[in-house]
Amino acid sequence: MIDFSISPELEFARQRAAAFMAEFVYPNESKLVEDEGLPADLEIDLQHRVQALGLWAPNLPREWGGMGIGYIGQALINEVIGRSVIAPRLFGNAAPDAGNAELLLIAATLEQKETYLRPLAAGEVRSCFAMTEPEVAGSDPTGLRTTAVRDGDDLIINGHKWFISGAIGSAFAIVMAVTDATADSHTRASMILVPTDTPGFNIVRAVPVMGSGGVGGHCEIRFEDCRVPVTSLLGELGQGFKLAQARLGPGRIQHCMRWIGAAQRSFEMMCAYALKRQSFGEPLAKKQTVQNWIADSAAEIDAARLMTLNAAWKLDRGDDARIEISLIKFFGARVLHDVVDRAIQVHGALGYSKDTPLEMFYRDARAARIYDGPDEVHRQVVAQRILKTFERDF
């Protein structure tokens, strides 16, 4: 029997999160400074309020200060959080910190967890994830050129990274680097923990982007004889690609549900504005085109939500959800873009202005089709895996 009901505990958590958003998040959106975030004192105060409500870090288990609510629970809470660009940091599960914390949970030693995960999970520090390089396609991390060469008890890192989100002000980076150039493509690279104050960790610039930026920027970094102890290796040697895949799956659930939250808020704004805005003697809501946009948006948001919850359900069961996760990545990104685009069109010049969150949602929606794997790669992956099931029948 299929049951679409939500447990009372999760429903109560959603209601508390929604109430917090209404009272403390939406009223403070105007205080956001792009690339810098909210004023530090305000952000810390709101984070403490979230922690007091028991809503901190929905992606982490309770023993690490999180909610411990599984993937479906994370999905439901992230839909609420996704309604505002400032909310993820306030709830302790902003990227890339959330993904890094999850990676540390599964791969770090006890000492590494105390050094890196403990303060990260508590929101005391920020982190970044250094994988993407300008010289190679970001969709294929097997071609990375950054190297980490062993020298006695140390690893010496050299390479060039960019679009490293949150690097400015972060305490440490998880760096993907080639540790064995002779190995096969999927075991060449490893992950390494690098404190950002290590000599040779050089932030070149924050790359200007069309999206809402984000705390710490999207940075270009050069590693120049950056020396760290061998004990900084995260997980096993040569397992970087495997760990990267483990990190991205749950992260896509969170991203996709936040996109649904942004799309849902845009949809609600579109409906409300269409009812009150008069054009040629009647509300915009009377226009057939606007009615079509509303109907299409409702269907697409509901479909994306159910698809994402299904993927989360599979992960909670320990099932293989690779097809489902790729499906929600490219489908959810398209739904976000299309719904926000329609909402802007209904709002007209107001939607194009910064007086509503729509223009920021729209800029972020374009990036959603690129990060965590471009849409085209996910479509290819889905098609290849589906076709393999048919090949067995011929």
Side-chain angles (χ1 to χ4, degrees):
M1 178 178 177
I2 297 175
D3 185 358
F4 291 100
S5 62
I6 299 172
S7 70
E9 294 80 12
L10 284 178
E11 183 56 39
F12 182 55
R14 281 209 309 176
Q15 292 174 3
R16 279 184 296 162
F20 182 86
M21 295 284 288
E23 185 175 358
F24 295 106
V25 178
Y26 305 139
N28 283 303
E29 286 179 325
S30 61
K31 298 182 177 68
L32 172 69
V33 177
E34 290 197 23
D35 299 323
E36 296 180 18
L38 292 175
D41 290 346
L42 174 61
E43 181 173 273
I44 292 171
D45 174 62
L46 295 179
Q47 287 175 335
H48 288 165
R49 291 175 183 270
V50 168
Q51 290 169 339
L53 289 170
L55 298 171
W56 180 258
N59 60 308
L60 293 179
R62 287 190 174 90
E63 58 265 32
W64 287 98
M67 295 181 68
I69 51 178
Y71 291 111
I72 287 180
Q74 291 176 44
L76 293 170
I77 296 298
N78 269 287
E79 180 177 355
V80 179
I81 294 171
R83 293 172 63 91
S84 175
V85 296
I86 68 173
R89 282 200 49 74
L90 303 181
F91 282 80
N93 72 327
D97 292 333
N100 286 349
E102 292 153 21
L103 198 50
L104 289 164
L105 272 175
I106 64 173
T109 64
L110 290 176
E111 183 178 352
Q112 288 171 341
K113 286 178 180 177
E114 287 302 318
T115 302
Y116 296 102
L117 178 57
R118 184 72 64 186
L120 184 65
E124 296 168 359
V125 301
R126 291 192 295 102
S127 64
C128 59
F129 184 74
M131 182 173 74
T132 306
E133 299 179 0
E135 293 84 7
V136 297
S139 58
D140 182 14
T142 63
L144 295 178
R145 297 180 183 179
T146 296
T147 61
V149 178
R150 182 156 186 168
D151 180 34
D153 292 332
D154 293 336
L155 292 168
I156 303 176
I157 306 171
N158 283 283
H160 187 197
K161 303 285 187 180
W162 77 336
F163 283 93
I164 309 308
S165 300
I168 298 172
S170 63
F172 68 92
I174 298 178
V175 181
M176 187 98 146
V178 175
T179 47
D180 185 357
T182 65
D184 69 78
S185 60
H186 287 83
T187 58
R188 296 171 69 243
S190 304
M191 287 191 181
I192 304 163
L193 291 158
V194 181
T196 55
D197 60 358
T198 305
F201 182 98
N202 300 317
I203 296 177
V204 178
R205 61 173 178 144
V207 180
V209 297
M210 70 179 288
S212 57
V215 179
H218 303 288
C219 297
E220 180 181 0
I221 298 174
R222 287 196 180 273
F223 292 88
E224 298 172 312
D225 292 332
C226 184
R227 183 182 290 265
V228 294
V230 171
T231 53
S232 298
L233 188 71
L234 180 62
E236 297 178 13
L237 193 71
Q239 295 300 300
F241 186 84
K242 182 178 179 180
L243 288 175
Q245 293 303 308
R247 179 185 188 276
L248 286 170
R252 287 170 183 147
I253 296 287
Q254 296 166 27
H255 278 312
C256 289
M257 287 304 285
R258 285 200 288 264
W259 296 343
I260 292 165
Q264 181 66 36
R265 186 178 178 193
S266 301
F267 173 75
E268 293 166 7
M269 292 175 64
M270 173 170 60
C271 292
Y273 195 76
L275 285 167
K276 74 176 184 180
R277 184 65 166 182
Q278 296 283 323
S279 177
F280 298 101
E282 63 180 3
L284 289 175
K286 294 288 188 178
K287 310 297 184 184
Q288 186 177 23
T289 295
V290 174
Q291 292 174 354
N292 288 339
W293 288 343
I294 290 170
D296 289 347
S297 297
E300 290 162 5
I301 292 171
D302 205 28
R305 180 184 294 112
L306 291 171
M307 288 171 64
T308 308
L309 289 172
N310 178 57
W313 176 75
K314 281 201 159 189
L315 287 178
D316 274 335
R317 287 165 52 94
D319 294 343
D320 185 348
R322 286 176 294 179
I323 288 178
E324 288 78 8
I325 287 171
S326 284
L327 281 170
I328 64 173
K329 170 59 175 67
F330 72 78
F331 184 76
R334 186 174 66 205
V335 169
L336 172 64
H337 174 274
D338 290 351
V339 173
V340 177
D341 184 70
R342 293 167 190 146
I344 289 174
Q345 197 70 10
V346 167
H347 281 75
L350 176 60
Y352 187 71
S353 76
K354 292 183 182 291
D355 286 351
T356 77
L358 294 174
E359 63 84 28
M360 187 178 289
F361 286 159
Y362 191 74
R363 287 185 283 140
D364 285 349
R366 188 60 187 87
R369 293 180 52 202
I370 298 172
Y371 62 73
D372 279 4
D375 289 1
E376 293 75 18
V377 171
H378 285 285
R379 284 192 176 92
Q380 182 181 32
V381 167
V382 168
Q384 288 174 343
R385 287 175 178 158
I386 289 174
L387 288 170
K388 280 183 180 179
T389 65
F390 283 87
E391 286 175 355
R392 293 194 291 266
D393 297 330
F394 291 94

